[in-house]
Amino acid sequence: MVAVALLATAALVLWNLRDADEPQDIPRTTSGPEVDAATRASESSHAAATGTAGEVAHELTERAGADDVTLLVVGDSTGDERTEWVALWAARMADEGARVTYRDWVPGEERWTDDPLTFGDGDRHVTIVNASQAGARPGYPLARRLLPDAADLVLVSFGHNGTREQEVAEMRQLLDRLAQDYPDAPVGVIAQNPALGGSAEHSRANREAVEQVARARDLPVIDVHGAFVDHGDVESLLVDDLHPSDAGSRLWAETVHRFLTTPRP
């Protein structure tokens, strides 16, 4: 009996160790109004991506589904936490059979984490490098040297911080640098969520400016803004006038996931 008890205890310890690296508090979204809004937004984003932008959108979809691929996200506080959209997107890919390693930046220590998250146990391996930081404008990854040595796909998510002029100038600099450092990596630009109250007009002007820069370079725009609006209750998707709630983060992740997994017509 003692031997049986010891074996049972050892098995339980091993089981807990097996799951130790995979967070248990990240919610999944598989149905409901968030998925509906995300689907419509991804479809409209693909429809708007014509010509060269459409070709890049197709390449984004192809690259996101590849094996042993590194996906880089550069952005701000809407996606820097491990409970926000980038980590939720990692979990979403794991739900569909990928084995995902999620690595983020440690603010204040100027280094990548030594404690990455892992999701899933599928045969296809994906690494997500999240260089999003609170308060960041597009120039932040350049000033802080946040860009890793390699990336197969890049998503850019800025617009809530700084002036319109700063967003435009720094977005151009960032896109130039991404093209230089990752010449073979397709780039997608995210139209960020709407803001409320005193932040609404500022965020609207910045978002429109970021979209204009993206379209001038024939880059596809992933319409997270449209998904929030289409949901019908923007206030429920925010924790304040600006930052996504848990529901907003799930909608954001689902919109990105749908865009990158929906074949172009």
Side-chain angles (χ1 to χ4, degrees):
M1 292 295 292
V2 173
V4 171
L6 288 173
L7 286 172
T9 300
L12 180 59
V13 169
L14 288 172
W15 179 263
N16 289 333
L17 286 173
R18 184 188 74 93
D19 288 341
D21 292 333
E22 180 165 346
Q24 303 299 311
D25 58 348
I26 292 184
R28 269 61 161 177
T29 297
T30 57
S31 62
E34 293 158 15
V35 169
D36 294 338
T39 300
R40 288 190 290 270
S42 69
E43 289 173 351
S44 65
S45 297
H46 274 298
T50 59
T52 302
E55 295 172 4
V56 177
H58 176 75
E59 191 174 357
L60 282 167
T61 301
E62 291 290 315
R63 197 66 60 87
D67 187 20
D68 197 21
V69 64
T70 297
L71 314 180
L72 169 64
V73 178
V74 287
D76 55 25
S77 59
T78 57
D80 65 321
E81 298 288 342
R82 289 186 167 192
T83 56
E84 293 178 325
W85 77 265
V86 185
L88 298 183
W89 175 38
R92 187 71 174 85
M93 284 193 286
D95 285 343
E96 297 195 350
R99 174 169 46 92
V100 185
T101 301
Y102 170 93
R103 187 176 298 276
D104 49 4
W105 186 254
V106 181
E109 298 184 22
E110 305 301 301
R111 63 176 179 83
W112 296 105
T113 181
D114 295 326
D115 182 30
L117 301 180
T118 57
F119 303 87
D121 56 2
D123 293 332
R124 184 172 78 92
H125 183 234
V126 176
T127 299
I128 292 182
V129 178
N130 186 10
S132 300
Q133 289 294 295
R137 303 195 308 264
Y140 187 93
L142 305 181
R144 297 289 182 175
R145 300 180 180 178
L146 283 181
L147 301 181
D149 292 336
D152 300 299
L153 176 156
V154 184
L155 297 182
V156 178
S157 180
F158 293 103
H160 289 309
N161 302 306
T163 66
R164 182 184 184 280
E165 290 72 22
Q166 287 173 323
E167 289 287 327
V168 169
E170 292 182 17
M171 179 64 76
R172 289 171 176 162
Q173 293 171 358
L174 175 61
L175 293 176
D176 286 345
R177 180 62 177 274
L178 293 174
Q180 173 185 320
D181 287 3
Y182 317 117
D184 297 323
V187 176
V189 175
I190 292 173
Q192 291 191 321
N193 63 289
L196 300 175
S199 301
E201 180 57 27
H202 173 265
S203 290
R204 182 197 62 78
N206 281 6
R207 174 183 53 78
E208 291 178 353
V210 166
E211 289 187 54
Q212 289 173 2
V213 172
R215 293 195 169 103
R217 298 193 178 216
D218 290 323
L219 298 178
V221 174
I222 303 174
D223 192 10
V224 168
H225 176 272
F228 272 63
V229 172
D230 192 53
H231 179 274
D233 186 5
V234 172
E235 188 172 357
S236 73
L237 301 175
L238 302 176
V239 294
D240 49 29
D241 285 347
L242 185 65
H243 295 91
S245 64
D246 290 345
S249 293
R250 290 195 300 270
L251 174 57
W252 194 315
E254 189 66 23
T255 301
V256 171
H257 182 74
R258 293 283 170 139
F259 182 88
L260 293 173
T261 56
T262 301
R264 284 184 55 80

